Amino acid sequence: MSAASGAYRGLLDKYRHRLPISESTPIVNLYEGNTPLLPLENIPRESRVDADIWVKLEGLNPTGSFKDRGMTMAVSRALEEGSRAIICASTGNTSASAAAYAARAGMRAFVLIPDGKISLGKLAQAMMHGATIIKIDGNFDDGMRLVREVAEEAPVTIVNSINPYRLQGQKTVAFEVVESLGRAPDFHCLPVGNAGNISAHWIGYSEACPGERNCVTASCNFCDGSCPYASEPLADSRPVMVGYQATGAAPFLRGHPVENPETVATAIRIGNPQSWDLALAASAESGGWFDEFDDAEILATQKLLAEKEGIFCEPASAVAVSGALRDLKSGKIPAGSTVVCTLTGHGLKDSDAAIAQDSAPMLTVKANRDAVRNAIAGALE
Ligand code: AN7
C-alpha cells in the first residue's frame, strides 16, 4: 500500500531520526500525533488575562489521548524484540491505547484497572480492542506494583511509562509545539498523574534546544551525546514546566506519595508517581513549580472550555488550564507570556463526568410544533 510522498504517517515516521528505532523496527502505528495547537480566544478576553494561551489537543489522537504517542513507540519496540504480549496498569487511557496498538500489532494486551474507578468510555475501548481486562480491588498504584511483580516472570512487556520507549514517543509533543509556534513557549502547563508526560515534554524541549540541553545527564535514556538535534536546533530556549494535580491526589504538593488518592479526574487518581525523579528534575531545571486544584475547580474549568471555546477535554486535562489562568492572574506567569497547555484527553472519554455536571438546560416537551416553538421562545427570553 502506498500514499502520496509527504503524507503524514505518524510520529515514528516523521521523527524517525530522533527516536530509538532502526530500519528493521516494525512500525506499529495509527498515524498518531500531528495534533492541533489552538489558541484560546474567548476565555483570555473574558477573564481579562493578557497572554497568548494555546492548547495542544492531544484528545485528537487515535484513541483520544496523548498515550498513543508513547504506545506506538513502546509497542513497535516490543514487537521488534519478539514480545507477544503487553501489560499495563491504568487509570483508563493507557489501557485504551495499549489495547488498540496491541490489536494493530496482532499482540495480546493485559490491562489492570481499578474496579469502578475508570470512565466507561475508556473501559469500552479496552473491551472493543480485545484486551484481557483484569479489574483489581485496589487503585492504580496497586496495579502498577502488581504489573512490576508479574512481569518479572510472565512473558509480557510492560508498556507503562516505566518503559523508557514510552517517554521517547511522548517527547514528540514538544517538537510539534515548537514547530507550530516557531519557538518554544515561555510556559508549558500540564496535568501530572504518574508524571511520565511532564518528563517526556521536558526531554523533547531539551532536545529541541540543544544549546542549553542537558538531556544527556538528566533525562534521555538513549542520547549518547550525538543527538541529531545538536546540528538541527528547533528552538533557542526551553519553557518553564508547570505541573498541576488534583488536591486529593497531589503527591508532588505533599512531597511524598499519597496513600489513598481520590479525585473526580480519575485519569490522575494516582498517589505514587513512577516518574517522580524525572518530573522533579524537569520542574527544577526549568524553574517551574507544581500546584493543585480541587475537584470543583477542575470541573468548572472543563465546563468553561466547553462552553466558551467549543473544546471538550476530560477533567484531568482541564487542570492545566485552571493552572494557567490562576497563575496568570496572580502574576506568577507574567503578563504577555506565551503559554501552552496540554489537553491530554478527549471529553467524550468520560461522558458520565460531563453529564453529572448537569448544568445544561434540558427541556422535555411534547412532539409538536407549538411545544418546541414555545421552548425556544422561553429559552431566548
Ligand atoms: C487524560 O492511563 O496514568 O502524568 O494509566 O489519562 O504522564 O501520568 C493516565 C494519565 C493526564 C497524567 N491526563 O499523565 C493511565 C494514566 C490524562 C491521563 C494524565 C493521564 P502522566
Side-chain angles (χ1 to χ4, degrees):
M1 240 178 294
S2 64
S5 74
Y8 185 78
R9 293 190 194 85
L11 55 88
L12 292 195
D13 178 61
K14 177 167 180 189
Y15 298 112
R16 157 175 294 280
H17 57 303
R18 291 163 190 153
L19 291 166
I21 51 173
S22 68
E23 286 302 317
S24 55
T25 307
I27 291 188
V28 182
N29 68 14
L30 294 164
Y31 289 14
E32 53 292 303
N34 198 25
T35 57
L37 183 70
L38 192 72
L40 295 188
E41 290 178 351
N42 301 317
I43 294 174
R45 189 183 63 246
E46 290 181 22
S47 37
R48 298 176 190 287
V49 160
D50 169 26
D52 290 328
I53 307 178
W54 299 80
V55 286
K56 184 73 170 156
L57 298 184
E58 290 291 277
L60 296 188
N61 275 298
T63 78
S65 86
F66 72 95
K67 302 288 183 183
D68 296 343
R69 290 183 187 275
M71 209 54 75
T72 181
M73 185 68 245
V75 173
S76 294
R77 286 300 304 248
L79 192 63
E80 180 174 13
E81 286 156 19
S83 174
R84 308 281 308 277
I86 59 176
I87 189 168
C88 65
S90 182
T91 58
N93 278 327
T94 301
S95 61
S97 187
Y101 284 82
R104 187 81 163 170
M107 298 168 83
R108 297 284 305 271
F110 297 94
V111 303
L112 272 71
I113 56 170
D115 194 9
K117 292 293 185 180
I118 84 165
S119 75
L120 286 185
K122 298 170 190 176
L123 182 61
Q125 289 179 290
M127 292 168 71
M128 282 302 286
H129 293 305
T132 300
I133 298 169
I134 304 170
K135 296 190 205 177
I136 57 167
D137 60 346
N139 59 28
F140 171 86
D141 304 304
D142 298 317
M144 196 63 245
R145 176 176 44 79
L146 290 164
V147 162
R148 282 180 179 275
E149 286 172 20
V150 168
E152 273 180 22
E153 48 208 13
V156 290
T157 303
I158 299 178
V159 293
N160 282 104
S161 54
I162 56 171
N163 176 328
Y165 298 123
R166 276 277 310 277
L167 299 194
Q168 286 295 307
Q170 284 173 219
K171 77 183 180 185
T172 58
V173 68
F175 301 164
E176 290 180 15
V177 168
V178 171
E179 285 165 16
S180 299
L181 294 177
R183 53 167 288 209
D186 302 313
F187 292 83
H188 195 121
C189 303
L190 76 171
V192 174
N194 210 23
N197 210 25
I198 190 171
S199 308
H201 277 66
W202 188 239
I203 295 172
Y205 279 124
S206 298
E207 293 180 9
C209 176
E212 52 176 298
R213 90 197 156 93
N214 51 9
C215 58
V216 181
T217 52
S219 13
C220 182
N221 290 303
F222 300 93
C223 188
D224 58 2
S226 61
C227 170
Y229 259 174
S231 57
E232 205 186 314
L234 282 179
D236 55 13
S237 67
R238 296 182 293 181
V240 173
M241 301 299 303
V242 194
Y244 301 101
Q245 303 208 281
T247 293
F252 285 103
L253 279 299
R254 309 293 164 257
H256 54 77
V258 169
E259 193 72 39
N260 292 305
E262 212 42 86
T263 169
V264 69
T266 52
I268 50 173
R269 188 174 170 272
I270 294 173
N272 187 16
Q274 299 297 302
S275 294
W276 180 270
D277 292 341
L278 285 178
L280 275 187
S283 183
E285 288 169 19
S286 73
W289 60 88
F290 295 97
D291 210 340
E292 61 186 291
F293 286 86
D294 67 28
D295 285 357
E297 293 171 303
I298 292 171
L299 292 174
T301 307
Q302 184 199 20
K303 187 84 171 94
L304 187 73
L305 280 163
E307 268 187 3
K308 298 290 183 186
E309 302 282 359
I311 297 169
F312 189 20
C313 66
E314 60 176 289
S317 311
V319 76
V321 174
S322 306
L325 291 174
R326 183 159 82 191
D327 288 342
L328 276 160
K329 284 179 191 159
S330 75
K332 224 167 160 182
I333 298 179
S337 296
T338 296
V339 181
V340 172
C341 300
T342 305
L343 296 188
T344 45
H346 201 287
L348 286 174
K349 290 271 191 177
D350 196 351
S351 46
D352 285 346
I355 291 169
Q357 290 212 43
D358 195 31
S359 58
M362 239 197 283
L363 308 170
T364 307
V365 302
K366 289 264 187 272
N368 68 59
R369 182 178 150 158
D370 278 355
V372 174
R373 200 178 50 203
N374 289 341
I376 293 171
L380 287 175
E381 254 170 28

